[in-house]
Amino acid sequence: MAEPMICAALQPVICGFINEAGVPAATAKRFSSFACIKSNHKLLRKAREDLQATRKVVQGQVDLETNHLNECDPRVNLWLRRVASVRVDSIDQEYDRLMQSSWLCRSVLGLGKRYRVGKKIAEMLEDIARLNEEGNQFQTFASKRLPDLVEERPRTQTFGIKPVLRDLWKSFESTDVSIIGVWGPGGVGKTTLLNSFNNELKACSKDYQVVIMIEVSNCRTLNKTAIQRTITDRLGLPWDDRETEEVRARFLMKALNRKRFVILLDDVWNKFQLEDVGIPTPDSDSKNKLILTSRNVDVCYQMGAQQSLIKMEYLEKEAAWELFRSNLSTQAITAIDSSVPNNVKEYADAIVQSCGGLPLALKVIGSAVAGLTTPRDWILAMQATKHDIKDLDGIPEMFHKLKYSYDKLTPTQQQCFLYCTLFPEYGSISKDQLVEYWMAEELIPQDPNRGHRIISRLLSACLLESCGSDLEVKMHHIIRHLGLSLAVQQKIVVKAGMSLQKAPPHKEWRTARRISLMYNDIRDLGLSPECKDLVTLLVQNNPHLDRLSPTFFQSMCSLKVLDLSYTRITELPFCSTLAKLKYLNLSHTFIERLPEEFWMLKKLRHLDLSVTKALKETLDNCSKLYKLRVLNLFRSNYGIRDVNDLNIDSLRELEFLGITIYAEDVLKKLTNTHPLAKSTQRLSLRHCEQMQSIQISDFTYMVQLRELYVELCLDLIQLIADPDKGRTSCLEVLTLAKLPALQTILIGSSPHHFRNLLEITVSHCQKLHDITWVLKLDALEKLCICHCHELEQVVQETVNEVDNRKGGIGHSTIQRYGRINDFSEEQETHGLPEGANNEHANVYQNMIENEWIKGTHHVDFPKLRTMVLTDLPKLTAICNPRDFPSLEIIRVEGCPRLTTLPLGQMYECPKLKQICGSYDWWEKLEWNVKEIMENKYFIPIKDGD
C-alpha cells in the first residue's frame, strides 16, 4: 500500500519540476514517460474511448454515403484501417503487471521496465491523438459516382437473337462503320435486340461517355419533341417548353459534340434529318455510333446505314416453341407434356406454327392461351389461328393472329380496348380520363373502380403496357394498328396526331360512331356534318382551332362525349341538340359564355370549365344540371361574387367541385358546413376585397380539398395554417400569386393543416422578406418562388435558431446535459480533460460537438426535390447550409445578389443532379460551391441559343 501512495505523491512533483526546469524537450519527454506513467495511462484510456467515438461518427457518414451509391474517400478508408489496427491490450497488460510488482526505488531492473512501458504508453497516446485529430478534420467522406454509361433497359428472357446480337457486335466494333441499320417486320424482336445490346454496352470497355436509347415510333409524322426530351433527360439538361424545336436542336448538337456517344434509334418508320432533332451525324473521325431499327430496308439506306445492314429473321421452330412455352401456365404446360394421348401438343404446335416465328404474336397468343388445359379449349384456340402467315411485309396478316387475344375479351372490354386507339400512337393515356370517357359513353357503369379493373385486364392481356407512372398506360404500336384495323369495322375514325390542318370530309363523318381529331393543327371546323350516330368526338389539343360552325352540332343528337379542351374557341354553337351529352370538357379555352340553351343538357355529368380565362358568365345554367357529378370552375374567370350566387345546392350528385370565389362572405358560406364543402377539391380565391386573413382551419368541412390557389387578393395580409385538431388535411398544392399586401404565413404546431403539402408556388408577393415557414413542411417536394422583389432570404435564421437546428452545442448545452464521458463539470465547461494539453482538449471538444450535431441533426427539407427561384433581385441567401437528402434540381434565374448555395457538403445532397443558372451567376458563386459541384452538375440557362 505504501508504493502507490509514494508514486502518487512523487508524480506531480516530478512532472512540475520538468515543466519548470527548462529541460530539453526530448529529455523531458523521455523523463515524463517514466515519471508520469500513471497520468499518461489514464489519458491513454480516455483517448482510446475518444478515438472509438470518432470512428463511429466517421463510419456512420461512410455508411450513409455508400447507401446512396457514393464511393468512400480513399483517405477516409485508409484512416479507418489505421484505427482498426490500433491495439492497446498488450500495453494495458504490461502496465498492470508493472503496477502490481514494481516500485520506483526497488531495483534498477524495475526502473528500466517502468521506462519501457511508459515509453510505449506515451508513443501510443501520441498516435491516437493524431488519429483523433485527423478523424475530426474530415469534411468529405465520399464522392458522387459518375453517371452510368448506360441507362439499363428492362431485362427479359430472349429467344433466338444470339446470332443477330453477334453480328451487331461485329459491326459495332468495326472502325469503318458509324451507322448500323437493323431491319425486319414489326414484332420480330428488333426492340428486344436493341434492349439487350444496350444492356451489354454497360460491360463494354469502349470509351463512350453516354449511351442513349430513343423510342422513335414516329409513324407518319416525326415527334421531334419526344426525341429531344429523351436526349435532354439523358444528358441531365434542363427542359424548357417555351423553346422552339430548332433552338433546342442546335443546343443539343453542341452538347453531344462534346461527348463520345452511342445513339440507339428504335422503330424508325421514315427518313429524317438527325440534325433536325439535335443528333450530330456520326463519322469515323468522331468515333460516335448510331444504331437504328426499322421495318423498311429503304429507311436504313436513307438514314446512312449503307455499309452495315442486319436483317432480323423470324424465329426458328425451337426458339419459337421456347418463347411460346415461356408464356404458358404450369397447368397448360402439363397438359401439353402429358403422356395421355389428348392431342393438346399437336394443337399447341399448330398454334406456334401459325405464328410464323413472330415473337410478338407468340407472346400475345401465348398469354391468351396460358390457362387452357382441356383438348376442347386448345382445338378452339387452334381454329382461331389456323391461317398461316406467309408474308409479313405489311401488318394485316399478323393481325389475325393477334386478334385471338382480343377475341378472348368480353364485349365491354373489347369496346374499351378499341377506345384506346383514339389516342395518338406516341405518348401515354391517362387512366382517369379514359375511365371518365368510358362511363360517359356508358361502356361501363358509373363506377371508376370498374374501369380501372378493365385497364388491369387489358394490361395482363398485353393489349396495353405500363408507363413509368401508375396514372398512365400506353399501347404498343403494333397492338394499336390491330385496334385500328378492328376500329374500321366499328365505324371509328382516328385522325389523332396526324398534323391535320383541315377537318375530315363530310363522308367520313356520316356513319362514324367515334371520331378523334386530337393533337392536330386544325384551325376551323366550319362544316355542318351529318353524323346522327356519333357518340364520341375528341378535338382537344388543336391549339389554333378558334371557330366552330353555328350549326356544327345540328345533327349530333347521339353525342355523349365532347372534348374541346386546349383550343382557342370563344363560344359554343347552338347545342340544344346535345340532349344525350354526358361529358363536356372546355378547359383551357377562350370561351366567353355558355349558350342560353345550355340548361337543356339535362344528362350532363362531367363539366370542365377550368382555366377558362375569358368566361364571363354561365347564365345560371350550371345550377339546373341536376345530374352533374363533376363541376370544375377552378381558376376560371367566372367565379362566385355574391352569396346569393352560390345556388348550386341542387346538385345532389356532385362528387368533385372546383370553384373560383371572388368574395370573403361567399367563402365563409361555403366553408360553414355548406353542402358543397364536402365536394370541393380545388379552390381558387381571386379579388376577395377587404379579406385580410385566411385561416386554413376554416376549411375544415372541405374534407377533400387538394389544391388552393390564392391570387389578386390585394388586402390579404396573412395566411394561417393553425394546428390540425380535427380531420387530416388533404391539401397538397398551394399557390400564392399577386398578393401585394401579404406579409406573413403562420404555421402552428404539428400536426398542422399544411403537413401534406407537396408543391408550393409563391409569385409576385412583394412584402414577403422570407418564407421561413417552409421549414415546417416535411412533405414538401417542389418549391417555386418568383417575382418577389423584396425577398432577401428564403429562410431567415438567427444565431439561436441555427444552434437549435444543430442541437445547440455550446456552454449552455453542455451544462444542460450534465457530464459527458466522465468529465467533471469544470472540465466540460472549459473543454479541458485532466492532464491533457490544450491541443488534445480542442480535438476532443470538436469530436464531441461533431458527434452531438450529427446524432441529433434534424433534416428540414426531407423530401424537397425541386427548388426554383426566378426574378428575385434582392435575394442574398436561401438558407444556411444543411442536408437536402432528396434534392435533385436547383434552378436560379434573375437573382444577381445570390452568391451562395445552401448545399453544405455533397454528402448532404446525395441525389442532386443539376444546378441551373446563367454563366454570370455561376461565376459569382463562392469557390467552395464550385469545388463541391463538378461541371456536369451545372447547367447554363440559355439566352436565345
Side-chain angles (χ1 to χ4, degrees):
M1 292 297 291
E3 291 177 3
M5 293 177 63
I6 295 173
C7 288
L10 288 176
Q11 184 168 296
V13 174
I14 296 172
C15 292
F17 170 78
I18 292 172
N19 291 333
E20 295 176 4
V23 178
T27 304
K29 181 177 179 181
R30 289 193 294 271
F31 195 79
S32 176
S33 65
F34 170 84
C36 303
I37 187 171
K38 286 188 61 180
S39 176
N40 286 347
H41 186 263
K42 184 177 180 181
L43 290 176
L44 177 62
R45 187 170 60 248
K46 291 180 180 180
R48 179 175 50 186
E49 294 172 354
D50 299 346
L51 181 62
Q52 291 305 314
T54 305
R55 184 195 64 80
K56 288 181 180 180
V57 173
V58 174
Q59 187 65 55
Q61 291 299 321
V62 170
D63 293 341
L64 179 64
E65 292 295 333
T66 53
N67 287 341
H68 288 105
L69 304 181
N70 293 329
E71 294 181 344
C72 181
D73 190 312
R75 293 167 297 180
V76 177
N77 248 337
L78 178 61
W79 184 86
L80 288 171
R81 289 198 300 269
R82 288 168 56 197
V83 171
S85 67
V86 171
R87 295 289 183 270
V88 296
D89 294 341
S90 60
I91 295 178
D92 287 340
Q93 292 172 4
E94 289 186 72
Y95 174 82
D96 291 339
R97 287 195 296 269
L98 179 66
M99 291 296 102
Q100 292 172 5
S101 61
S102 66
W103 182 44
L104 180 63
C105 303
R106 173 175 293 180
S107 67
V108 174
L109 180 62
L111 294 176
K113 187 174 183 180
R114 180 185 180 96
Y115 171 77
R116 289 192 299 273
V117 174
K119 181 181 179 183
K120 288 182 180 180
I121 292 175
E123 290 173 349
M124 181 62 73
L125 186 60
E126 289 179 356
D127 291 342
I128 291 178
R130 281 194 298 269
L131 287 173
N132 238 328
E133 183 177 3
E134 290 174 13
N136 282 294
Q137 288 178 348
F138 287 131
Q139 298 296 320
T140 301
F141 297 88
S143 59
K144 200 172 187 67
R145 292 179 184 271
L146 293 175
D148 290 337
L149 168 73
V150 179
E151 187 174 63
E152 190 167 352
R153 308 290 290 184
R155 292 186 176 273
T156 56
Q157 191 175 6
T158 58
F159 301 88
I161 69 169
K162 288 184 178 179
V164 188
L165 197 56
R166 282 196 299 269
D167 292 342
L168 182 55
W169 269 109
K170 184 178 179 180
S171 296
F172 181 80
E173 291 171 347
S174 172
T175 57
D176 298 328
V177 176
S178 299
I179 301 178
I180 304 169
V182 180
W183 67 284
V188 78
K190 300 185 295 295
T191 300
T192 301
L193 173 73
L194 223 53
N195 282 337
S196 298
F197 184 76
N198 174 85
N199 292 342
E200 288 189 10
L201 280 171
K202 192 169 187 178
C204 178
S205 60
K206 295 290 185 181
D207 188 22
Y208 293 101
Q209 293 173 294
V210 65
V211 177
I212 305 175
M213 182 165 175
I214 303 170
E215 299 175 4
V216 181
S217 301
N218 53 296
C219 210
R220 294 179 181 83
T221 56
L222 182 69
N223 189 359
K224 294 182 182 179
T225 301
I227 295 174
Q228 291 177 334
R229 186 63 183 259
T230 301
I231 299 172
T232 300
D233 291 346
R234 194 70 183 86
L235 295 177
L237 299 173
W239 180 264
D240 189 348
D241 286 317
R242 298 169 295 181
E243 287 181 332
T244 65
E245 291 175 346
E246 292 75 15
V247 169
R248 198 179 294 126
R250 291 197 298 271
F251 182 73
L252 292 177
M253 285 276 290
K254 293 178 182 178
L256 282 173
N257 271 325
R258 298 189 182 102
K259 296 179 178 291
R260 289 193 60 193
F261 62 80
V262 179
I263 301 288
L264 310 177
L265 297 178
D266 187 32
D267 198 21
V268 181
W269 279 56
N270 300 301
K271 173 192 173 184
F272 66 92
Q273 294 295 327
L274 295 173
E275 290 78 4
D276 288 348
V277 297
I279 301 175
T281 301
D283 53 42
S284 56
D285 293 333
S286 67
K287 298 183 180 180
N288 296 320
K289 300 283 186 177
L290 174 72
I291 303 174
L292 65 100
T293 68
S294 178
R295 302 180 191 183
N296 192 330
V297 66
D298 291 334
V299 172
C300 294
Y301 284 127
Q302 294 164 1
M303 294 293 291
Q306 296 89 342
Q307 296 181 4
S308 182
L309 279 173
I310 300 172
K311 182 180 180 181
M312 284 205 71
E313 305 285 356
Y314 303 134
L315 294 180
E316 298 292 338
K317 183 177 180 179
E318 183 178 351
W321 182 247
E322 290 177 358
L323 174 56
F324 179 75
R325 283 175 63 99
S326 71
N327 288 279
L328 301 180
S329 66
T330 303
Q331 293 82 356
I333 293 175
T334 301
I336 291 173
D337 295 341
S338 174
S339 58
V340 179
N342 55 20
N343 298 323
V344 170
K345 175 69 166 61
E346 179 183 342
Y347 302 145
D349 194 52
I351 292 173
V352 173
Q353 186 178 351
S354 70
C355 291
L358 185 67
L360 182 60
L362 289 162
K363 180 180 178 180
V364 173
I365 294 178
S367 298
V369 301
L372 302 186
T373 56
T374 67
R376 175 177 174 76
D377 290 337
W378 278 98
I379 195 171
L380 291 174
M382 182 194 68
Q383 290 173 350
T385 60
K386 62 182 178 180
H387 299 293
D388 292 337
I389 299 176
K390 299 186 184 296
D391 182 8
L392 213 64
D393 231 3
I395 308 175
E397 293 85 355
M398 185 186 64
F399 287 163
H400 182 74
K401 311 303 174 186
L402 299 178
K403 185 175 179 293
Y404 180 69
S405 185
Y406 168 83
D407 291 337
K408 293 282 288 183
L409 301 174
T410 66
T412 296
Q413 292 169 349
Q414 289 178 348
Q415 288 299 313
C416 291
F417 164 73
L418 293 179
Y419 210 104
C420 297
T421 63
L422 296 173
F423 293 84
E425 181 172 1
Y426 53 86
S428 55
I429 307 170
S430 165
K431 291 182 181 180
D432 289 339
Q433 185 182 45
L434 200 55
V435 171
E436 288 288 345
Y437 288 158
W438 291 346
M439 290 191 298
E441 205 185 279
E442 297 181 315
L443 295 178
I444 61 174
Q446 297 297 310
D447 179 10
N449 292 331
R450 175 76 177 273
H452 285 282
R453 285 196 296 271
I454 290 178
I455 291 176
S456 297
R457 175 69 180 88
L458 296 176
L459 286 167
S460 64
C462 297
L463 294 172
L464 288 180
E465 298 180 0
S466 298
C467 289
S469 168
D470 293 336
L471 304 177
E472 298 173 327
V473 292
K474 63 181 180 179
M475 181 178 280
H476 190 285
H477 58 90
I478 298 231
I479 298 298
R480 181 174 183 269
H481 282 292
L482 165 66
L484 291 175
S485 70
L486 300 171
V488 174
Q489 307 166 17
Q490 300 283 336
K491 301 178 181 179
I492 300 174
V493 178
V494 182
K495 304 287 185 179
M498 297 179 63
S499 300
L500 296 182
Q501 294 186 353
K502 295 182 179 180
H506 281 83
K507 63 180 182 179
E508 294 193 40
W509 294 77
R510 193 164 294 128
T511 59
R513 179 173 175 80
R514 299 185 189 124
I515 295 179
S516 175
L517 304 176
M518 67 172 79
Y519 289 94
N520 281 298
D521 197 24
I522 298 174
R523 298 169 182 266
D524 183 283
L525 287 174
L527 70 171
S528 300
E530 296 180 10
C531 45
K532 57 183 177 61
D533 296 326
L534 189 64
V535 177
T536 291
L537 177 60
L538 306 179
V539 197
Q540 65 263 37
N541 290 94
N542 279 270
H544 297 102
L545 177 63
D546 59 5
R547 192 181 81 87
L548 303 178
S549 165
T551 56
F552 184 72
F553 298 127
Q554 186 171 349
S555 67
M556 298 185 187
C557 54
S558 300
L559 196 66
K560 296 180 180 179
V561 177
L562 176 60
D563 197 328
L564 291 164
S565 60
Y566 291 93
T567 63
R568 296 185 65 86
I569 61 170
T570 58
E571 62 180 357
L572 204 62
F574 185 77
C575 61
S576 62
T577 53
L578 304 180
K580 294 185 178 180
L581 193 65
K582 293 191 174 184
Y583 178 101
L584 176 59
N585 192 340
L586 297 171
S587 66
H588 295 270
T589 65
F590 292 85
I591 191 166
E592 296 180 359
R593 56 175 51 84
L594 299 177
E596 293 184 11
E597 70 277 5
F598 194 78
W599 65 272
M600 299 175 67
L601 308 184
K602 294 292 188 180
K603 292 190 176 182
L604 198 63
R605 288 181 171 271
H606 186 120
L607 177 59
D608 194 340
L609 292 164
S610 61
V611 201
T612 45
K613 297 184 178 180
L615 187 64
K616 298 176 181 177
E617 56 182 330
T618 65
L619 297 177
D620 202 25
N621 285 325
C622 293
S623 63
K624 299 176 182 178
L625 303 175
Y626 303 125
K627 291 191 176 181
L628 272 183
R629 186 175 57 85
V630 174
L631 174 59
N632 195 353
L633 286 159
F634 179 73
R635 294 189 62 200
S636 169
N637 181 62
Y638 173 80
I640 309 301
R641 301 174 184 273
D642 186 83
V643 171
N644 296 326
D645 291 337
L646 195 64
N647 59 351
I648 49 179
D649 300 355
S650 56
L651 305 183
R652 304 291 184 184
E653 298 184 26
L654 201 63
E655 298 175 4
F656 178 103
L657 176 62
I659 192 169
T660 301
I661 290 176
Y662 282 86
E664 185 176 12
D665 54 348
V666 177
L667 176 63
K668 289 180 178 179
K669 179 180 179 181
L670 181 64
T671 56
N672 187 20
T673 68
H674 193 279
L676 294 175
K678 65 179 182 181
S679 304
T680 303
Q681 296 192 29
R682 304 180 77 184
L683 174 63
S684 174
L685 305 178
R686 304 182 75 228
H687 293 293
C688 294
E689 298 179 0
Q690 299 180 353
M691 183 173 68
Q692 297 184 350
S693 177
I694 296 176
Q695 194 157 322
I696 302 300
S697 61
D698 290 341
F699 302 160
T700 300
Y701 295 100
M702 295 184 181
V703 293
Q704 297 189 74
L705 183 63
R706 299 189 181 277
E707 182 169 2
L708 175 62
Y709 198 109
V710 186
E711 62 177 328
L712 291 168
C713 296
L714 305 184
D715 298 319
L716 185 67
I717 297 176
Q718 66 177 358
L719 179 70
I720 303 173
D722 37 2
D724 185 1
K725 299 178 181 178
R727 300 182 180 181
T728 301
S729 174
C730 296
L731 193 64
E732 295 177 347
V733 181
L734 172 67
T735 301
L736 304 172
K738 299 178 182 178
L739 305 173
L742 184 64
Q743 297 179 13
T744 56
I745 290 92
L746 302 176
I747 297 183
S749 58
S750 185
H752 49 73
H753 286 275
F754 281 175
R755 67 171 181 242
N756 293 315
L757 272 184
L758 303 178
E759 296 184 18
I760 291 178
T761 299
V762 180
S763 172
H764 295 89
C765 297
Q766 307 300 355
K767 288 195 176 182
L768 283 179
H769 291 271
D770 68 84
I771 55 170
T772 305
W773 48 275
V774 297
L775 294 177
K776 295 188 177 183
L777 308 181
D778 289 341
L780 188 64
E781 295 181 1
K782 182 176 182 180
L783 175 62
C784 181
I785 310 171
C786 56
H787 305 291
C788 296
H789 292 169
E790 297 300 318
L791 191 74
E792 297 177 0
Q793 295 189 36
V794 175
V795 176
Q796 183 78 44
E797 295 174 299
T798 64
V799 175
N800 289 336
E801 288 170 339
V802 175
D803 283 344
N804 289 336
R805 183 171 66 83
K806 291 184 175 181
I809 288 296
H811 176 81
S812 60
T813 302
I814 295 176
Q815 285 186 329
R816 186 185 317 125
Y817 286 94
R819 297 169 61 81
I820 299 180
N821 287 4
D822 297 322
F823 285 2
S824 68
E825 183 173 346
E826 182 180 358
Q827 291 164 348
E828 291 166 354
T829 301
H830 296 287
L832 297 172
E834 180 183 358
N837 59 37
N838 289 339
E839 181 181 1
H840 289 173
N842 291 336
V843 170
Y844 185 86
Q845 183 68 10
N846 289 337
M847 186 278 295
I848 291 294
E849 292 185 8
N850 288 338
E851 183 179 12
W852 176 260
I853 292 171
K854 297 184 184 300
T856 61
H857 181 63
H858 172 72
V859 179
D860 293 318
F861 298 100
K863 296 183 179 179
L864 186 68
R865 295 170 49 232
T866 303
M867 184 186 300
V868 179
L869 306 172
T870 305
D871 193 16
L872 307 172
K874 292 189 177 181
L875 186 70
T876 58
I878 299 175
C879 60
N880 286 308
R882 65 189 68 221
D883 295 353
F884 288 93
S886 302
L887 189 65
E888 298 176 2
I889 298 173
I890 299 179
R891 183 181 179 93
V892 178
E893 190 172 4
C895 304
R897 299 179 64 185
L898 183 65
T899 58
T900 60
L901 290 178
L903 300 179
Q905 299 298 326
M906 266 308 298
Y907 66 83
E908 295 175 338
C909 311
K911 296 184 179 180
L912 189 63
K913 296 178 180 177
Q914 58 184 243
I915 300 178
C916 306
S918 66
Y919 275 115
D920 291 342
W921 170 74
W922 177 253
E923 290 300 324
K924 293 177 182 178
L925 288 180
E926 289 186 348
W927 66 270
N928 61 327
V929 175
K930 295 183 186 179
E931 186 179 50
I932 293 168
M933 304 299 295
E934 301 177 16
N935 284 337
K936 63 184 177 180
Y937 290 105
F938 172 62
I939 310 298
I941 295 175
K942 304 177 290 297
D943 295 324
D945 184 23

